[in-house]
């Protein structure tokens, strides 16, 4: 596995790979952007990228611009050596591991998240978060120029906004959504789970329980969004709820679940940690 930290060096290296004589035409590149502290969720993204592409690039970059003042940038879990091992063992070809100074200067062109979709849900309580996400993903996609880029469905709003960016800016990378990976008790994997105390972790199970409950209601043909949200909020109990929403795949509110076109999303605070999860129905 090749490790590169300089964006221009990576661009040159990838150009060389494409010019290599053993391949006819360009090699397909699968790209998995991450902020490190890799877990099975990331590994499933890498696996999918390996299945569908000839070359797999992973980036590890803890992007400061997507954290608001007072958020967890300084305490975000960092496991550089373990992450490198995971990438190597997962068959990653190139690990892009830039420093902040490789990615940003003091005076930057910045992307703005759309005024509606970028400022609801997570964007409502974290204004400017998605500006940071879109800007860094744009930079990363321009550096790697992948055929396909892989994002987890757990961060559904992020996935939606990145797909929108790629479409509206006429970029040619294909965005591939990948299913959420869960612990055996239902907890969705997240690097931020590392913050949870044993008691918090127990409380966090209410999130996946509420989503299972929603899905069970739908199976019984209870499709009314208000009814579903009420039951889910009951299950979430005294956790601080940022939102519970029933939306279509374009992130518009639905009064009733439409099978094949619905995402039910939850974000709560457990202890001091924000956790989000969702199901696609
Ligand atoms: O989901 C993440 O880990 C980050 O938001 C991403 C997409 C790598 C951008 O920093």
């Amino acid at each position: 596995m090749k490790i590169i930290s300089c964006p221009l060096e990576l661009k040159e290296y990838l150009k060389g790979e494409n010019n290599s004589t053993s391949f006819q035409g360009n090699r397909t590149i699968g790209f998995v952007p991450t902020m490190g502290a890799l877990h099975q969720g990331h590994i499933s993204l890498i696996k999918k990228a390996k299945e569908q592409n000839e070359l797999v690039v992973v980036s590890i970059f803890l992007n400061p611009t997507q954290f608001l003042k007072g958020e967890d940038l300084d305490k975000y879990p960092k496991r550089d050596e373990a992450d490198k091992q995971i990438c190597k063992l997962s068959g990653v070809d190139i690990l892009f591991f830039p420093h902040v100074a490789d990615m940003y200067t003091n005076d930057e062109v910045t992307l703005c998240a759309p005024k509606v979709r970028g400022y609801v849900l997570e964007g409502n309580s974290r204004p400017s978060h998605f500006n940071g996400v879109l800007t860094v993903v744009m930079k990363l996609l321009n550096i790697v120029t992948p055929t396909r880029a892989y994002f987890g469905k757990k961060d559904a709003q992020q996935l939606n906004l990145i797909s929108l960016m790629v479409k509206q800016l006429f970029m040619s990378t294909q965005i591939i959504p990948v299913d959420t990976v869960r612990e055996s008790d239902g907890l969705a994997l997240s690097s931020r789970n590392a913050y949870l105390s044993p008691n918090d972790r127990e409380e966090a199970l209410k999130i996946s329980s509420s989503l299972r409950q929603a899905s069970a209601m739908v199976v019984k043909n209870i499709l009314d969004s208000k009814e579903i949200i009420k039951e889910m909020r009951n299950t979430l109990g005294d956790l601080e709820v940022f939102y519970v929403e029933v939306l279509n795949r374009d992130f518009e509110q639905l009064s009733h679940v439409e099978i094949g076109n619905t995402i039910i999303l939850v974000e709560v605070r457990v202890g001091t940690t924000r956790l989000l999860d969702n199901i696609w129905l």
Side-chain angles (χ1 to χ4, degrees):
M1 181 178 76
K2 177 108 182 138
I3 302 179
I4 297 179
S5 63
C6 169
L8 294 180
E9 187 187 334
L10 177 57
K11 274 178 97 76
E12 278 307 303
Y13 184 81
L14 288 169
K15 218 190 276 170
E17 282 285 308
N18 272 335
N19 291 339
S20 72
T21 48
S22 52
F23 275 85
Q24 299 256 309
N26 284 352
R27 299 175 80 167
T28 52
I29 300 176
F31 177 46
V32 180
T34 81
M35 296 204 299
L38 303 183
H39 50 65
Q40 284 298 333
H42 297 110
I43 294 172
S44 80
L45 301 177
I46 296 170
K47 255 195 200 148
K48 190 107 205 177
K50 277 193 75 68
E51 278 164 25
Q52 298 184 336
N53 302 278
E54 286 151 340
L55 203 69
V56 172
V57 181
V58 170
S59 66
I60 295 182
F61 179 59
L62 185 55
N63 173 39
T65 66
Q66 69 189 73
F67 289 79
L68 275 69
K69 258 206 183 105
E71 288 190 342
D72 55 341
L73 174 62
D74 293 336
K75 65 168 190 164
Y76 198 86
K78 239 179 176 322
R79 296 196 282 266
D80 293 354
E81 285 317 306
D83 286 349
K84 283 180 195 163
Q85 277 308 314
I86 289 173
C87 288
K88 210 165 159 185
L89 293 172
S90 307
V92 170
D93 299 292
I94 303 166
L95 176 58
F96 179 46
F97 214 135
H99 303 286
V100 174
D102 296 313
M103 294 292 282
Y104 291 110
T105 62
N106 288 332
D107 194 19
E108 282 278 312
V109 174
T110 304
L111 280 182
C112 292
K115 288 197 180 67
V116 179
R117 281 198 227 186
Y119 289 88
V120 291
L121 307 173
E122 201 179 356
N124 181 36
S125 43
R126 305 180 74 192
S128 87
H129 164 68
F130 286 116
N131 297 347
V133 171
L134 293 179
T135 301
V136 81
V137 171
M138 178 72 159
K139 282 177 185 262
L140 291 166
L141 294 181
N142 282 338
I143 295 165
V144 179
T145 57
T147 320
R148 302 179 186 89
Y150 297 79
F151 294 88
K153 285 183 176 176
K154 188 175 81 66
D155 294 305
Q157 191 177 10
Q158 166 174 285
L159 170 62
N160 178 266
L161 291 171
I162 291 169
S163 304
L164 203 63
M165 171 180 82
V166 163
K167 185 173 166 211
Q168 292 183 344
L169 300 184
F170 303 102
M171 298 162 73
S172 36
T173 296
Q174 195 186 344
I175 302 300
I176 311 285
V178 180
D179 286 342
T180 301
V181 179
R182 299 179 181 279
E183 305 270 13
S184 54
D185 57 11
L187 184 68
L189 295 192
S190 161
S191 304
R192 288 190 167 99
N193 289 352
Y195 301 151
L196 300 174
S197 68
N199 185 51
D200 289 343
R201 203 192 166 289
E202 203 54 41
E203 286 288 292
L205 293 180
K206 289 178 183 167
I207 305 168
S208 49
S209 299
S210 75
L211 290 167
R212 274 201 305 276
Q213 183 181 28
S215 150
M217 290 175 81
V218 171
V219 169
K220 287 188 201 143
N221 211 28
I222 304 169
L223 303 177
D224 184 81
S225 301
K226 279 196 185 130
E227 257 184 85
I228 292 172
I229 291 170
K230 189 167 152 229
E231 283 306 312
M232 287 178 70
R233 282 186 174 267
N234 277 341
T235 302
L236 293 167
D238 52 10
L239 291 179
E240 183 188 345
V241 177
F242 294 105
Y243 56 80
V244 179
E245 293 280 357
V246 178
L247 304 180
N248 68 17
R249 300 281 164 89
D250 287 322
F251 269 65
E252 295 154 342
Q253 257 167 356
L254 285 177
S255 60
H256 288 83
V257 168
E258 293 170 6
I259 302 294
N261 184 31
T262 299
I263 312 178
I264 303 183
L265 306 100
V266 185
E267 184 170 9
V268 298
R269 196 191 309 275
V270 181
T272 55
T273 308
R274 306 169 70 102
L275 293 176
L276 43 80
D277 199 353
N278 56 63
I279 40 165
W280 298 46
L281 296 168

